[in-house]
Structures are given as C-alpha cells and as structure tokens.
Amino acid sequence: MRNKVRLVLGLIAMTVVLAACAQNASQDSLKPAGPYAEKIHALFTPVFWIAAAIFFIVEGGIVFLLIRYRHRKGRAGIPPQIHGNNRLEIAWTILPALILVGVAVPTVSTIWDLSKQPRGDVLNVTVKGHQWWWEFDYPDLNVSTANELHIPTGRPVYVSLDSVGGLIGDGEVIHSFWVPELAGKQDVVPARTNHVTLEADRPGTYYGQCAEFCGLSHANMRLRVIAQSPADFDAWVSAQQQDAVTPQAGSVAAAGMDFFFGTNGLGGQCIACHAIQGTKASAIAAPNLTHFASRDCFAGCMFSNTSEQVAAWLRNPPARKPGSWMPNFHLSEEQINALVTYLESLK
Ligand code: CUA
C-alpha cells in the first residue's frame, strides 16, 4: 500500500517537473505572436477556465460523496435511496446547456472570423506539402523556396495549402501546416485547396511542423517562418528573384555545377528533380535550389545548412532522413565536395 502511494506521488511529481520543461518551447500556442494566433488564444483561455471549474466541481462532488457515504463499521445495508427531484434535474439539464451555448457562440464566431479571406494589403503564399518538406511559392512575386517561409511583419499572409507532389506518390498524402505562435492548424489535402491566414507582430523566427501523420519522416517535416520588417522582407524578395550565380570557370564550384547538370557526361541526376532559376534545371519534384545557401536549414529543416551537414546528406540521404525521396547516388568524396561547394555558392 505504501509503495502504491509512493508510486502515485512520484508520478504526480514527475508530471509537474516535466510540465515545467516546456517553459521555453519554440512551438507554444500559449504565446501568440500575431493577431490570428491571439484570437485563438483569447478563445482558449476562457474555455480552459470554464472546463477547469467544471472539472473541479464534478470531481470534487464525486470525491465528497465517496467519503460522505463510504461504508462504515456497524452500518447495515445501503443508505436511504432518493428517487426523482424535479428541481435538481431541471437545473442540471439547463445549466450545462447554457454553459455549452456560452462556449459555442464565441467558438463558432472565431472559426468564421479566422476563415475569412483577409482584405487589403495581403501577401499571398502557396504552401505545398511534400514528403517530407515544405515548398513555399509567392505567386505574385515569382519566388519559390523551401522549408523557410519569409513574411513581412504586420501584414496578413493568406496561405493556400496544396498537397501536390512532383513525384508520383509524393502528393497523395494529407499533411497539416502548423505554426503555433502565428496561426491555427490547417490540413493540407490532395486535390483540394485549404486556406489559413497568419501574421506576425514582430520580427523573429517561428517554428512549425507537419501535424498530420504523413509517412516515415512525418516527424522530420519541420519548417520555420522568418518574420522580417517590411524593408528587410523586400530586400529578401529582390535577392530571391535574381537568377542563380554562375561559379567562376575552373573553380571547384564550377566542377560541382558541371556534375549537377551532367555537363561532362558525369552526374546529371540532380536536375531530374531540382530547379535552379536562370539555368535549364526546372524540375519541381524537389526543393528549388536557386538560393539554397541563403537558407539556414534543409531537408524539412532537419539539418543546419553547413558544408558538413550537406556533405553528410549527399553521402546517403535515406540514411540521414528515413524514407527520403532523394536516393543514395553513391557519390565519391570528390564529387560530394564539388557539389557542396557549388550549393554553398548559391547565396
Ligand atoms: Cu507531412 Cu506529417
């Protein structure tokens, strides 16, 4: 008996300690950083306290009755039974109904409010869920990037969500786009366009991830939203609109480029899936690499964009990321070095 009590107390203590671990969590919907996330938070808070009050009233009542009418020595049979009490029954029917109405009215109106297409100065972004990375296209700006979504602060971003893969099979699963500090969760469904609006009040990096099981590397399908001041965002857009730089002839990067395109009869697999603006590489099955080196992470934001990490990736992608659609091309260290040098030159 004493052991059981110890076990229960230990579990409670552990729960409290583990709950405290999340203090600086980067994906915390309780720390909204924009008006859309704030609306959700403003609904969550009162509903949480209503639910908490009901929990304690109901559980408290049960515990009270358990103790008050427990079996005692010398008590024979069961206590007197009461059948029917109109006033009580009417009260406990009407009261919960009123509470539910009180919760439903603000909930439904918030859902409608959040699903409205924002008007005025809006940035349109198309988000495509791939296995297992995010594609971000800016249809009005002619920019295509991956894993890191840049947005300007103080401006609503109207996101259109598509699960359209460039490879057969890639576009046949459901994902869920979620950046907890900026907006609610929204499913990304094949052959259907869903929408979600997000906005950031202040510059910063906001973390997100796929929130719907979508296959082997679901947990590795992460993303970052990088909110910038409007001026910084415009500068980023101008840089992204430029064609990719061409390395100097004879350099290691140029050798990497030749291998990338298969110019000298070696390599050439990269352009089957990747695009590089300003070159003949225009495939859409895998991330657009035009400005690969301008990003801090790659492969579903699983890895930091360093030469070491990119080299490790090229050595054997499926070993680095389970189920990776990018196969192992069994490249030599020389080929890997050339490719990494080329990719890291694509600022
Ligand atoms: Cu995509 Cu889970």
Side-chain angles (χ1 to χ4, degrees):
M1 185 64 197
R2 191 168 283 177
N3 279 343
K4 262 189 195 165
V5 172
R6 270 196 207 138
L7 182 71
V8 170
L9 287 177
L11 282 175
I12 291 171
M14 202 166 78
T15 309
V16 171
V17 170
L18 286 179
C21 290
Q23 200 151 40
N24 295 318
S26 56
Q27 295 183 170
D28 191 347
S29 60
L30 299 177
K31 286 183 198 140
Y36 294 91
E38 258 152 32
K39 282 177 190 176
I40 295 169
H41 187 244
L43 175 67
F44 172 81
T45 307
V47 172
F48 173 80
W49 287 114
I50 291 170
I54 291 169
F55 173 83
F56 282 107
I57 291 167
V58 171
E59 296 301 317
I62 290 172
V63 171
F64 170 77
L65 293 175
L66 279 175
I67 294 168
R68 177 88 171 76
Y69 296 104
R70 70 188 186 281
H71 181 70
R72 286 196 185 106
K73 260 187 197 156
R75 179 186 270 173
I78 52 174
Q81 300 294 296
I82 304 158
H83 289 283
N85 184 325
N86 284 348
R87 260 195 242 171
L88 209 55
E89 283 168 17
I90 288 169
W92 74 42
T93 303
I94 289 178
L95 202 65
L98 286 177
I99 293 170
L100 284 178
V101 169
V103 170
V105 169
T107 302
V108 172
S109 77
T110 303
I111 290 171
W112 283 344
D113 190 17
L114 289 174
S115 67
K116 264 191 303 198
Q117 183 171 357
R119 294 184 180 283
D121 186 23
V122 175
L123 177 69
N124 290 305
V125 176
T126 302
V127 172
K128 291 179 181 167
H130 291 267
Q131 279 175 317
W132 290 269
W133 57 280
W134 297 98
E135 176 181 341
F136 302 123
D137 298 330
Y138 301 71
D140 308 324
L141 302 171
N142 210 10
V143 167
S144 179
T145 185
N147 301 312
E148 292 175 3
L149 172 65
H150 286 247
I151 63 168
T153 52
R155 187 169 160 202
V157 180
Y158 189 57
V159 176
S160 303
L161 299 157
D162 285 322
S163 177
V164 184
L167 293 166
I168 295 164
D170 178 19
E172 294 174 355
V173 293
I174 299 175
H175 305 275
S176 181
F177 180 76
W178 193 29
V179 188
E181 288 171 308
L182 299 182
K185 215 182 264 176
Q186 186 64 271
D187 275 2
V188 185
V189 182
R192 188 196 152 86
T193 304
N194 281 345
H195 299 279
V196 67
T197 309
L198 50 88
E199 184 178 332
D201 287 335
R202 49 189 183 274
T205 301
Y206 304 95
Y207 291 77
Q209 69 180 73
C210 181
E212 178 80 37
F213 182 70
C214 55
L216 211 51
S217 264
H218 155 69
N220 301 320
M221 195 172 165
R222 306 167 200 165
L223 70 123
R224 292 176 193 171
V225 175
I226 297 160
Q228 298 170 290
S229 69
D232 287 351
F233 175 73
D234 288 344
W236 177 81
V237 170
S238 306
Q240 295 289 311
Q241 285 170 335
Q242 306 298 314
D243 285 349
V245 292
T246 309
Q248 216 170 10
S251 65
V252 178
M257 182 179 70
D258 288 344
F259 192 81
F260 192 98
F261 288 92
T263 312
N264 300 326
L266 268 177
Q269 293 96 333
C270 314
I271 56 170
C273 293
H274 293 280
I276 294 186
Q277 194 185 308
T279 73
K280 64 170 179 171
S282 58
I284 53 162
N288 184 313
L289 300 175
T290 310
H291 299 285
F292 175 74
S294 72
R295 304 175 202 150
D296 289 332
C297 67
F298 70 96
C301 270
M302 238 185 128
F303 310 109
S304 300
N305 193 355
T306 63
S307 299
E308 294 75 34
Q309 295 280 353
V310 177
W313 170 257
L314 291 176
R315 243 166 243 134
N316 190 351
R320 298 285 285 160
K321 185 174 178 176
S324 159
W325 283 75
M326 177 156 161
N328 182 357
F329 288 109
H330 302 282
L331 306 170
S332 72
E333 282 304 309
E334 196 187 346
Q335 291 162 342
I336 288 171
N337 181 49
L339 279 174
V340 170
T341 310
Y342 174 54
L343 289 170
E344 296 300 350
S345 78
L346 301 173
K347 302 273 188 216

mmCIF file of all heavy atoms in Angstrom, residues 19-34 36-38 40-41 44-45 178-184 202 205-209:
data_model
loop_
_atom_site.group_PDB
_atom_site.id
_atom_site.type_symbol
_atom_site.label_atom_id
_atom_site.label_comp_id
_atom_site.label_asym_id
_atom_site.label_seq_id
_atom_site.Cartn_x
_atom_site.Cartn_y
_atom_site.Cartn_z
ATOM 1 N N ALA A 19 6.186 19.071 -16.962
ATOM 2 C CA ALA A 19 5.408 20.198 -17.475
ATOM 3 C C ALA A 19 6.245 21.469 -17.452
ATOM 4 O O ALA A 19 6.146 22.311 -18.339
ATOM 5 C CB ALA A 19 4.138 20.381 -16.655
ATOM 6 N N ALA A 20 7.097 21.593 -16.452
ATOM 7 C CA ALA A 20 7.937 22.781 -16.334
ATOM 8 C C ALA A 20 8.995 22.842 -17.430
ATOM 9 O O ALA A 20 9.496 23.907 -17.768
ATOM 10 C CB ALA A 20 8.618 22.802 -14.965
ATOM 11 N N CYS A 21 9.325 21.675 -18.017
ATOM 12 C CA CYS A 21 10.354 21.634 -19.059
ATOM 13 C C CYS A 21 9.974 22.481 -20.263
ATOM 14 O O CYS A 21 10.831 22.915 -21.011
ATOM 15 C CB CYS A 21 10.569 20.204 -19.547
ATOM 16 S SG CYS A 21 11.365 19.177 -18.339
ATOM 17 N N ALA A 22 8.692 22.678 -20.487
ATOM 18 C CA ALA A 22 8.233 23.315 -21.723
ATOM 19 C C ALA A 22 8.258 24.839 -21.658
ATOM 20 O O ALA A 22 7.728 25.496 -22.521
ATOM 21 C CB ALA A 22 6.831 22.823 -22.058
ATOM 22 N N GLN A 23 8.918 25.393 -20.628
ATOM 23 C CA GLN A 23 8.850 26.836 -20.443
ATOM 24 C C GLN A 23 9.324 27.641 -21.654
ATOM 25 O O GLN A 23 8.732 28.648 -21.997
ATOM 26 C CB GLN A 23 9.661 27.241 -19.214
ATOM 27 C CG GLN A 23 9.256 28.600 -18.700
ATOM 28 C CD GLN A 23 9.473 28.710 -17.207
ATOM 29 O OE1 GLN A 23 10.468 28.222 -16.690
ATOM 30 N NE2 GLN A 23 8.556 29.346 -16.510
ATOM 31 N N ASN A 24 10.402 27.179 -22.293
ATOM 32 C CA ASN A 24 10.918 27.926 -23.440
ATOM 33 C C ASN A 24 10.630 27.216 -24.757
ATOM 34 O O ASN A 24 11.403 27.303 -25.697
ATOM 35 C CB ASN A 24 12.422 28.145 -23.284
ATOM 36 C CG ASN A 24 12.713 29.033 -22.100
ATOM 37 O OD1 ASN A 24 12.014 30.023 -21.892
ATOM 38 N ND2 ASN A 24 13.709 28.671 -21.321
ATOM 39 N N ALA A 25 9.524 26.482 -24.809
ATOM 40 C CA ALA A 25 9.192 25.734 -26.015
ATOM 41 C C ALA A 25 9.038 26.691 -27.193
ATOM 42 O O ALA A 25 8.476 27.769 -27.059
ATOM 43 C CB ALA A 25 7.913 24.942 -25.806
ATOM 44 N N SER A 26 9.559 26.266 -28.345
ATOM 45 C CA SER A 26 9.530 27.150 -29.510
ATOM 46 C C SER A 26 8.219 27.050 -30.274
ATOM 47 O O SER A 26 7.973 27.824 -31.174
ATOM 48 C CB SER A 26 10.700 26.837 -30.431
ATOM 49 O OG SER A 26 10.660 25.472 -30.797
ATOM 50 N N GLN A 27 7.393 26.069 -29.937
ATOM 51 C CA GLN A 27 6.119 25.935 -30.635
ATOM 52 C C GLN A 27 4.995 25.997 -29.603
ATOM 53 O O GLN A 27 4.306 25.015 -29.348
ATOM 54 C CB GLN A 27 6.080 24.622 -31.427
ATOM 55 C CG GLN A 27 7.105 24.603 -32.525
ATOM 56 C CD GLN A 27 7.059 23.356 -33.388
ATOM 57 O OE1 GLN A 27 7.701 23.303 -34.402
ATOM 58 N NE2 GLN A 27 6.298 22.349 -32.994
ATOM 59 N N ASP A 28 4.834 27.176 -29.018
ATOM 60 C CA ASP A 28 3.920 27.322 -27.891
ATOM 61 C C ASP A 28 2.710 28.169 -28.296
ATOM 62 O O ASP A 28 2.827 29.381 -28.467
ATOM 63 C CB ASP A 28 4.695 27.999 -26.744
ATOM 64 C CG ASP A 28 3.914 27.965 -25.445
ATOM 65 O OD1 ASP A 28 2.711 27.649 -25.495
ATOM 66 O OD2 ASP A 28 4.510 28.251 -24.392
ATOM 67 N N SER A 29 1.565 27.516 -28.436
ATOM 68 C CA SER A 29 0.371 28.263 -28.846
ATOM 69 C C SER A 29 -0.133 29.165 -27.722
ATOM 70 O O SER A 29 -1.015 29.996 -27.927
ATOM 71 C CB SER A 29 -0.730 27.299 -29.295
ATOM 72 O OG SER A 29 -1.074 26.447 -28.235
ATOM 73 N N LEU A 30 0.444 29.015 -26.512
ATOM 74 C CA LEU A 30 0.054 29.903 -25.413
ATOM 75 C C LEU A 30 0.832 31.221 -25.460
ATOM 76 O O LEU A 30 0.634 32.091 -24.625
ATOM 77 C CB LEU A 30 0.286 29.205 -24.067
ATOM 78 C CG LEU A 30 -0.512 27.919 -23.861
ATOM 79 C CD1 LEU A 30 -0.156 27.268 -22.542
ATOM 80 C CD2 LEU A 30 -2.007 28.191 -23.931
ATOM 81 N N LYS A 31 1.752 31.326 -26.428
ATOM 82 C CA LYS A 31 2.492 32.590 -26.591
ATOM 83 C C LYS A 31 2.244 33.144 -27.992
ATOM 84 O O LYS A 31 3.143 33.132 -28.843
ATOM 85 C CB LYS A 31 3.992 32.345 -26.399
ATOM 86 C CG LYS A 31 4.384 32.128 -24.956
ATOM 87 C CD LYS A 31 5.900 31.962 -24.868
ATOM 88 C CE LYS A 31 6.289 31.318 -23.557
ATOM 89 N NZ LYS A 31 7.370 30.345 -23.734
ATOM 90 N N PRO A 32 1.024 33.608 -28.256
ATOM 91 C CA PRO A 32 0.712 34.073 -29.611
ATOM 92 C C PRO A 32 1.573 35.276 -29.984
ATOM 93 O O PRO A 32 1.850 36.142 -29.151
ATOM 94 C CB PRO A 32 -0.768 34.451 -29.524
ATOM 95 C CG PRO A 32 -1.034 34.684 -28.075
ATOM 96 C CD PRO A 32 -0.089 33.801 -27.319
ATOM 97 N N ALA A 33 2.007 35.309 -31.260
ATOM 98 C CA ALA A 33 2.888 36.389 -31.719
ATOM 99 C C ALA A 33 2.256 37.179 -32.863
ATOM 100 O O ALA A 33 2.943 37.876 -33.589
ATOM 101 C CB ALA A 33 4.233 35.817 -32.155
ATOM 102 N N GLY A 34 0.940 37.050 -33.012
ATOM 103 C CA GLY A 34 0.257 37.781 -34.071
ATOM 104 C C GLY A 34 -1.243 37.754 -33.841
ATOM 105 O O GLY A 34 -1.731 36.980 -33.014
ATOM 106 N N TYR A 36 -3.842 36.620 -35.451
ATOM 107 C CA TYR A 36 -4.646 35.408 -35.688
ATOM 108 C C TYR A 36 -4.443 34.394 -34.563
ATOM 109 O O TYR A 36 -5.393 33.770 -34.091
ATOM 110 C CB TYR A 36 -4.323 34.825 -37.067
ATOM 111 C CG TYR A 36 -4.768 35.765 -38.159
ATOM 112 C CD1 TYR A 36 -3.903 36.728 -38.676
ATOM 113 C CD2 TYR A 36 -6.078 35.750 -38.622
ATOM 114 C CE1 TYR A 36 -4.323 37.629 -39.640
ATOM 115 C CE2 TYR A 36 -6.516 36.646 -39.590
ATOM 116 C CZ TYR A 36 -5.627 37.585 -40.090
ATOM 117 O OH TYR A 36 -6.058 38.482 -41.029
ATOM 118 N N ALA A 37 -3.203 34.238 -34.137
ATOM 119 C CA ALA A 37 -2.928 33.337 -33.014
ATOM 120 C C ALA A 37 -3.540 33.904 -31.729
ATOM 121 O O ALA A 37 -3.991 33.152 -30.859
ATOM 122 C CB ALA A 37 -1.422 33.142 -32.853
ATOM 123 N N GLU A 38 -3.587 35.230 -31.634
ATOM 124 C CA GLU A 38 -4.166 35.844 -30.433
ATOM 125 C C GLU A 38 -5.667 35.571 -30.323
ATOM 126 O O GLU A 38 -6.198 35.371 -29.235
ATOM 127 C CB GLU A 38 -3.917 37.359 -30.442
ATOM 128 C CG GLU A 38 -2.775 37.761 -29.523
ATOM 129 C CD GLU A 38 -2.076 39.027 -29.982
ATOM 130 O OE1 GLU A 38 -2.750 39.902 -30.563
ATOM 131 O OE2 GLU A 38 -0.862 39.132 -29.769
ATOM 132 N N ILE A 40 -7.185 32.928 -31.324
ATOM 133 C CA ILE A 40 -7.321 31.545 -30.846
ATOM 134 C C ILE A 40 -7.029 31.490 -29.346
ATOM 135 O O ILE A 40 -7.751 30.856 -28.579
ATOM 136 C CB ILE A 40 -6.370 30.616 -31.632
ATOM 137 C CG1 ILE A 40 -6.784 30.561 -33.100
ATOM 138 C CG2 ILE A 40 -6.357 29.218 -31.027
ATOM 139 C CD1 ILE A 40 -5.786 29.896 -34.015
ATOM 140 N N HIS A 41 -5.997 32.203 -28.943
ATOM 141 C CA HIS A 41 -5.622 32.220 -27.531
ATOM 142 C C HIS A 41 -6.723 32.855 -26.688
ATOM 143 O O HIS A 41 -7.039 32.383 -25.591
ATOM 144 C CB HIS A 41 -4.304 32.985 -27.366
ATOM 145 C CG HIS A 41 -3.745 32.910 -25.991
ATOM 146 N ND1 HIS A 41 -3.603 34.007 -25.185
ATOM 147 C CD2 HIS A 41 -3.331 31.853 -25.256
ATOM 148 C CE1 HIS A 41 -3.109 33.625 -24.023
ATOM 149 N NE2 HIS A 41 -2.929 32.322 -24.040
ATOM 150 N N PHE A 44 -9.262 30.238 -26.262
ATOM 151 C CA PHE A 44 -8.791 29.111 -25.459
ATOM 152 C C PHE A 44 -8.841 29.420 -23.959
ATOM 153 O O PHE A 44 -9.284 28.589 -23.157
ATOM 154 C CB PHE A 44 -7.349 28.754 -25.864
ATOM 155 C CG PHE A 44 -6.711 27.736 -24.956
ATOM 156 C CD1 PHE A 44 -6.975 26.387 -25.116
ATOM 157 C CD2 PHE A 44 -5.863 28.136 -23.930
ATOM 158 C CE1 PHE A 44 -6.401 25.446 -24.267
ATOM 159 C CE2 PHE A 44 -5.292 27.202 -23.083
ATOM 160 C CZ PHE A 44 -5.560 25.856 -23.255
ATOM 161 N N THR A 45 -8.411 30.630 -23.588
ATOM 162 C CA THR A 45 -8.278 30.948 -22.168
ATOM 163 C C THR A 45 -9.597 30.819 -21.400
ATOM 164 O O THR A 45 -9.656 30.066 -20.417
ATOM 165 C CB THR A 45 -7.660 32.353 -21.995
ATOM 166 O OG1 THR A 45 -6.456 32.392 -22.762
ATOM 167 C CG2 THR A 45 -7.339 32.652 -20.548
ATOM 168 N N TRP A 178 1.263 23.816 -39.536
ATOM 169 C CA TRP A 178 1.017 24.380 -38.204
ATOM 170 C C TRP A 178 2.207 25.187 -37.707
ATOM 171 O O TRP A 178 3.307 24.663 -37.555
ATOM 172 C CB TRP A 178 0.709 23.259 -37.197
ATOM 173 C CG TRP A 178 0.147 23.755 -35.910
ATOM 174 C CD1 TRP A 178 -0.608 24.871 -35.700
ATOM 175 C CD2 TRP A 178 0.283 23.145 -34.622
ATOM 176 N NE1 TRP A 178 -0.957 24.994 -34.380
ATOM 177 C CE2 TRP A 178 -0.414 23.950 -33.699
ATOM 178 C CE3 TRP A 178 0.929 21.993 -34.174
ATOM 179 C CZ2 TRP A 178 -0.476 23.632 -32.350
ATOM 180 C CZ3 TRP A 178 0.861 21.686 -32.830
ATOM 181 C CH2 TRP A 178 0.156 22.490 -31.921
ATOM 182 N N VAL A 179 1.971 26.456 -37.461
ATOM 183 C CA VAL A 179 2.955 27.338 -36.826
ATOM 184 C C VAL A 179 2.259 27.914 -35.590
ATOM 185 O O VAL A 179 1.576 28.930 -35.667
ATOM 186 C CB VAL A 179 3.408 28.469 -37.777
ATOM 187 C CG1 VAL A 179 4.561 29.246 -37.159
ATOM 188 C CG2 VAL A 179 3.799 27.914 -39.137
ATOM 189 N N PRO A 180 2.389 27.230 -34.448
ATOM 190 C CA PRO A 180 1.534 27.516 -33.282
ATOM 191 C C PRO A 180 1.522 28.975 -32.819
ATOM 192 O O PRO A 180 0.497 29.451 -32.359
ATOM 193 C CB PRO A 180 2.112 26.610 -32.193
ATOM 194 C CG PRO A 180 2.795 25.514 -32.932
ATOM 195 C CD PRO A 180 3.315 26.124 -34.196
ATOM 196 N N GLU A 181 2.640 29.681 -32.959
ATOM 197 C CA GLU A 181 2.674 31.052 -32.446
ATOM 198 C C GLU A 181 2.021 32.056 -33.402
ATOM 199 O O GLU A 181 1.827 33.214 -33.038
ATOM 200 C CB GLU A 181 4.121 31.475 -32.162
ATOM 201 C CG GLU A 181 4.696 30.768 -30.941
ATOM 202 C CD GLU A 181 6.182 31.022 -30.783
ATOM 203 O OE1 GLU A 181 6.931 30.822 -31.750
ATOM 204 O OE2 GLU A 181 6.585 31.423 -29.687
ATOM 205 N N LEU A 182 1.709 31.601 -34.625
ATOM 206 C CA LEU A 182 1.181 32.546 -35.622
ATOM 207 C C LEU A 182 -0.233 32.240 -36.097
ATOM 208 O O LEU A 182 -0.935 33.139 -36.573
ATOM 209 C CB LEU A 182 2.111 32.605 -36.842
ATOM 210 C CG LEU A 182 3.540 33.080 -36.580
ATOM 211 C CD1 LEU A 182 4.313 33.119 -37.887
ATOM 212 C CD2 LEU A 182 3.563 34.442 -35.906
ATOM 213 N N ALA A 183 -0.655 30.985 -36.024
ATOM 214 C CA ALA A 183 -1.982 30.633 -36.549
ATOM 215 C C ALA A 183 -2.377 29.247 -36.070
ATOM 216 O O ALA A 183 -1.584 28.548 -35.444
ATOM 217 C CB ALA A 183 -1.970 30.665 -38.078
ATOM 218 N N GLY A 184 -3.610 28.882 -36.392
ATOM 219 C CA GLY A 184 -4.090 27.547 -36.047
ATOM 220 C C GLY A 184 -3.572 26.516 -37.044
ATOM 221 O O GLY A 184 -2.831 26.831 -37.970
ATOM 222 N N ARG A 202 5.937 40.942 -34.710
ATOM 223 C CA ARG A 202 7.320 41.404 -34.580
ATOM 224 C C ARG A 202 8.271 40.449 -35.299
ATOM 225 O O ARG A 202 7.962 39.261 -35.489
ATOM 226 C CB ARG A 202 7.692 41.511 -33.095
ATOM 227 C CG ARG A 202 7.342 40.276 -32.305
ATOM 228 C CD ARG A 202 7.510 40.458 -30.807
ATOM 229 N NE ARG A 202 7.212 39.194 -30.145
ATOM 230 C CZ ARG A 202 5.987 38.802 -29.789
ATOM 231 N NH1 ARG A 202 4.953 39.577 -30.006
ATOM 232 N NH2 ARG A 202 5.800 37.624 -29.212
ATOM 233 N N THR A 205 11.956 34.333 -35.597
ATOM 234 C CA THR A 205 11.833 33.035 -36.243
ATOM 235 C C THR A 205 10.802 32.218 -35.476
ATOM 236 O O THR A 205 10.919 32.058 -34.255
ATOM 237 C CB THR A 205 13.190 32.307 -36.259
ATOM 238 O OG1 THR A 205 14.124 33.137 -36.958
ATOM 239 C CG2 THR A 205 13.094 30.977 -36.974
ATOM 240 N N TYR A 206 9.802 31.750 -36.183
ATOM 241 C CA TYR A 206 8.725 30.987 -35.552
ATOM 242 C C TYR A 206 8.746 29.574 -36.123
ATOM 243 O O TYR A 206 8.748 29.395 -37.331
ATOM 244 C CB TYR A 206 7.381 31.677 -35.807
ATOM 245 C CG TYR A 206 7.388 33.113 -35.319
ATOM 246 C CD1 TYR A 206 7.671 34.165 -36.183
ATOM 247 C CD2 TYR A 206 7.179 33.396 -33.977
ATOM 248 C CE1 TYR A 206 7.725 35.471 -35.726
ATOM 249 C CE2 TYR A 206 7.230 34.699 -33.509
ATOM 250 C CZ TYR A 206 7.504 35.732 -34.380
ATOM 251 O OH TYR A 206 7.570 37.020 -33.925
ATOM 252 N N TYR A 207 8.750 28.609 -35.228
ATOM 253 C CA TYR A 207 8.911 27.234 -35.654
ATOM 254 C C TYR A 207 7.558 26.573 -35.873
ATOM 255 O O TYR A 207 6.577 26.887 -35.200
ATOM 256 C CB TYR A 207 9.710 26.443 -34.618
ATOM 257 C CG TYR A 207 11.153 26.882 -34.547
ATOM 258 C CD1 TYR A 207 11.524 28.046 -33.894
ATOM 259 C CD2 TYR A 207 12.137 26.133 -35.181
ATOM 260 C CE1 TYR A 207 12.845 28.457 -33.849
ATOM 261 C CE2 TYR A 207 13.472 26.528 -35.148
ATOM 262 C CZ TYR A 207 13.810 27.693 -34.472
ATOM 263 O OH TYR A 207 15.109 28.102 -34.447
ATOM 264 N N GLY A 208 7.546 25.656 -36.828
ATOM 265 C CA GLY A 208 6.330 24.906 -37.102
ATOM 266 C C GLY A 208 6.670 23.515 -37.572
ATOM 267 O O GLY A 208 7.847 23.186 -37.765
ATOM 268 N N GLN A 209 5.650 22.714 -37.762
ATOM 269 C CA GLN A 209 5.892 21.374 -38.275
ATOM 270 C C GLN A 209 4.610 20.772 -38.810
ATOM 271 O O GLN A 209 3.527 21.292 -38.573
ATOM 272 C CB GLN A 209 6.474 20.485 -37.187
ATOM 273 C CG GLN A 209 5.505 20.151 -36.072
ATOM 274 C CD GLN A 209 6.174 19.263 -35.042
ATOM 275 O OE1 GLN A 209 7.012 19.701 -34.266
ATOM 276 N NE2 GLN A 209 5.809 17.992 -35.045
#
